[in-house]
Amino acid sequence: MAAETGTPTTLTLKSNDDELFSVAESAAILSVTIRNMVEDGCAGGVIPLDNVDGKTLASVITYMNGISAIPADEEKKKSYRDKFLSDKDFETLADMVLAANYLNMSCLMDAVSAKIAQVMEKKSVGWVRRKFGIENDYTPEEEAAVKEEHKWTFEGVETDDDN
Amino acid sequence: MDRISDLPKDILQRILYFLSQEDAVRTSVLSKSWRDIWCTRPNLDFSSDNFKGQRKKFISIMDETLQRYYDRRLSVEEFHLSISLGDLFYDFDHESAPFLEKWIPLLTDTGTKKFRLSIRTRWNTGRVRLPPVVFGAESLHDLHVESFSLDQMAIQSIVFLKNLKSLRLEKVCIEDESFNKIISNCIFIETLVVKDCKRLRTIKIIFAHGLCPIEVHPPSLETIDISDGNLRFNKGADFRNLEDLSLCNVKSSLEHLSSCKFPSLKYLNISGWPDLKETQIFIDAPNIRNFDFIEKFVPSISFAATF
């Protein structure tokens, strides 16, 4: 352990497309999944992360390093997270939220989920469908019935064209 | 299937967690796979303002939703309820609020950990009594009460509010005895705001557990006695009836304190305020009679000239 030897421990993570990444243990244990492996003593060799590809893992490690370098200051951490996610497109965010879920990193999971939610805020059904490419598989009658059931939620919605 | 709809259900619920109730419910219209995702999200967020006077609709939707969580044994981890009476509940029963009497116990049964309640009336202060069930809700995390009467009856069934972190009383008709009873039941509070509470004369608080930011500016106050807190004086506030101010281990902005008016202040007692070292501070208290200061240094405080 780092504290005992005096030198920082480095872990090697392997993505599902066989890319290897070195990351300081102190940053990597932001992931509860990795922390458990470290605590169980199974983090000695290469840690395979079967559900994360190299591109996403590189991004997650950038986040791990960035956020763990910030001292306990929730506001600074929040502004780091906002900045980190600001230029990510939806495809990347979807990869990140899956990785954060798999790695059990609640702070990243929440930040990405909130970011995706922000896109949907106050937006009409039609707008959200187009934005995310969601196919409407309701029949017109079914859709009308669901809408009727939740009529109260259709007030104050932006960009209303076809709802 | 498209990328977002293909995400696991627990991730989609996490995303919906960050949406308002209406935005979350509206996702049911997106497609068949979205129809029920919102139904099981771990948080509920209702505001009567969204129902623009449709009292029955608001009550029936609240009833249905809570009943569904209860019947399916789903937990509502966080519940945010904002109720504005007066515009919505024209025939609000002045003695009780049957709907709250029903909803609050249901929330307790569904394991709510974080209950944020904002309840206000459009009526004049003191006309409507806060339903006693409110202070019986152990899961209260944030409580904002506005324009209610908070008398002994309203707190008759008060429980120990170990989860209450923020209490905001605005235009509340409350007397010292009730206020003290509430404070003594929420000792883990982190933020306390008391604003325009006409009958409140004395605020006396000792926080044994860490610092609490406190905001006080009711002009009726005669006594403030606070130990261990972060006190915020509103800039330029006029404490026209305040006679006795006692601050022990309190942190506060000196600039704000200097901008306040204390025309009636007679007794000022300060201890444990190291920030006062090597600064000059002015206190607008022309009628000060007694100033006690307990610290290891001599402060540089000037008072307004006597009238």
Side-chain angles (χ1 to χ4, degrees):
Chain A
M1 297 292 285
E4 287 157 12
T5 60
T7 49
T9 309
T10 305
L11 303 179
T12 306
L13 310 180
K14 191 173 88 172
S15 64
N16 62 6
D17 45 4
D18 294 328
E19 266 192 79
L20 295 176
F21 296 88
S22 287
V23 57
E25 184 188 288
S26 57
I29 57 171
L30 273 175
S31 150
V32 176
T33 309
I34 295 174
R35 190 198 303 159
N36 289 342
M37 288 183 187
V38 171
E39 282 169 5
D40 295 344
C42 347
V46 172
I47 301 176
L49 300 171
D50 297 339
N51 286 352
V52 191
D53 65 34
K55 182 173 163 265
T56 308
L57 189 54
S59 200
V60 170
I61 289 172
T62 305
Y63 172 80
M64 283 172 162
N65 288 328
I67 204 92
S68 61
I70 299 168
D73 180 333
E74 205 31 60
E75 254 172 54
K76 283 186 184 152
K77 286 187 189 229
K78 191 188 172 301
S79 79
Y80 175 81
R81 277 193 283 266
D82 289 349
K83 195 162 171 262
F84 176 74
L85 296 175
S86 64
D87 59 345
K88 305 276 188 283
D89 59 16
F90 174 67
E91 283 300 316
T92 312
L93 291 175
D95 289 333
M96 301 263 301
V97 79
L98 284 164
N101 190 42
Y102 171 67
L103 292 168
N104 200 347
M105 290 173 69
S106 59
C107 62
L108 183 59
M109 173 90 187
D110 280 355
V112 180
S113 302
K115 174 94 183 167
I116 297 173
Q118 211 177 35
V119 177
M120 305 164 96
E121 247 168 48
K122 290 193 162 58
K123 293 293 189 289
S124 71
V125 171
W127 191 94
V128 176
R129 275 185 195 138
R130 281 194 302 281
K131 178 80 185 169
F132 293 102
I134 299 169
E135 193 197 333
N136 175 16
D137 55 0
Y138 283 121
T139 64
E141 293 75 26
E142 284 169 340
E143 183 175 343
V146 182
K147 267 188 183 172
E148 182 60 31
E149 192 183 334
H150 306 301
K151 211 172 169 183
W152 70 276
T153 68
F154 285 86
E155 281 172 24
V157 174
E158 286 173 12
T159 53
D160 257 313
D161 34 19
D162 59 352
N163 252 336
Chain B
M1 199 187 269
D2 66 274
R3 196 72 208 280
I4 193 167
S5 305
D6 208 24
L7 289 172
K9 200 173 172 186
D10 53 341
I11 294 184
L12 290 176
Q13 277 178 351
R14 200 64 202 159
I15 294 170
L16 296 192
Y17 168 88
F18 292 97
L19 287 175
S20 69
Q21 191 70 21
E22 57 273 26
D23 283 346
V25 174
R26 213 169 45 247
T27 61
S28 60
V29 188
L30 288 170
S31 73
K32 285 180 185 170
S33 73
W34 283 85
R35 181 158 187 166
D36 293 325
I37 291 170
W38 71 275
C39 293
T40 47
R41 71 171 188 155
N43 58 321
L44 292 173
D45 173 11
F46 280 100
S47 171
S48 64
D49 291 346
N50 295 338
F51 290 82
K52 300 193 178 84
Q54 301 171 67
R55 173 182 192 263
K56 279 188 181 155
K57 189 73 189 161
F58 175 68
I59 292 181
S60 76
I61 284 179
M62 274 288 298
D63 266 345
E64 276 168 30
T65 309
L66 283 179
Q67 197 63 47
R68 194 181 60 245
Y69 273 75
Y70 179 76
D71 291 344
R72 293 200 204 168
R73 296 177 191 278
L74 294 167
S75 80
V76 185
E77 284 169 26
E78 285 185 40
F79 187 78
H80 184 198
L81 177 60
S82 172
I83 300 187
S84 182
L85 304 167
D87 50 346
L88 186 64
F89 298 94
Y90 298 106
D91 53 349
F92 183 68
D93 172 359
H94 287 198
E95 293 303 317
S96 66
F99 53 94
L100 281 176
E101 305 278 352
K102 183 178 170 190
W103 295 337
I104 288 177
L106 270 182
L107 284 173
T108 311
D109 290 345
T110 49
T112 304
K113 293 191 192 96
K114 227 181 191 183
F115 179 21
R116 296 166 60 206
L117 176 64
S118 173
I119 180 164
R120 56 201 179 279
T121 63
R122 296 283 168 92
W123 305 107
N124 293 333
T125 306
R127 187 160 163 195
V128 185
R129 176 186 290 137
L130 189 77
V133 69
V134 170
F135 276 101
E138 212 185 329
S139 55
L140 270 177
H141 188 274
D142 282 49
L143 178 61
H144 172 203
V145 178
E146 192 176 323
S147 303
F148 271 96
S149 158
L150 238 167
D151 57 7
Q152 289 291 333
M153 283 269 282
I155 56 166
Q156 63 189 356
S157 42
I158 190 167
V159 295
F160 182 56
L161 300 163
K162 62 174 186 292
N163 300 303
L164 194 66
K165 295 283 185 281
S166 168
L167 176 62
R168 192 178 177 97
L169 304 177
E170 269 181 69
K171 296 177 202 147
V172 166
C173 183
I174 185 168
E175 295 190 355
D176 295 355
E177 204 181 328
S178 304
F179 182 79
N180 290 335
K181 190 165 177 191
I182 293 170
I183 291 300
S184 64
N185 276 292
C186 51
I187 60 170
F188 297 111
I189 199 161
E190 288 171 2
T191 302
L192 172 67
V193 176
V194 181
K195 201 172 171 181
D196 303 329
C197 295
K198 276 185 187 159
R199 295 208 187 153
L200 192 62
R201 297 277 175 270
T202 305
I203 287 189
K204 186 172 175 159
I205 305 166
I206 298 168
F207 289 104
H209 302 272
L211 296 175
C212 158
I214 304 161
E215 198 178 309
V216 287
H217 42 104
S220 64
L221 278 177
E222 290 169 5
T223 304
I224 297 178
D225 182 348
I226 292 171
S227 296
D228 301 304
N230 288 337
L231 184 63
R232 187 155 86 223
F233 289 105
N234 275 30
K235 239 179 173 174
D238 183 359
F239 290 87
R240 68 188 82 122
N241 290 307
L242 191 67
E243 291 187 7
D244 195 339
L245 176 62
S246 194
L247 306 171
C248 173
N249 295 323
V250 164
K251 282 185 183 169
S252 182
S253 150
L254 295 174
E255 192 199 334
H256 284 203
L257 177 63
S258 283
S259 73
C260 292
K261 292 181 172 59
F262 301 98
S264 310
L265 193 69
K266 290 180 184 143
Y267 307 99
L268 176 64
N269 189 328
I270 294 175
S271 59
W273 198 343
D275 292 356
L276 289 177
K277 201 170 184 176
E278 289 164 16
T279 49
Q280 288 201 341
I281 173 171
F282 166 77
I283 297 177
D284 189 353
N287 288 306
I288 191 87
R289 281 190 202 159
N290 193 33
F291 174 45
D292 284 335
F293 186 82
I294 305 168
E295 260 294 0
K296 289 177 188 141
F297 56 89
V298 179
S300 177
I301 297 183
S302 56
F303 289 94
T306 314
F307 283 138

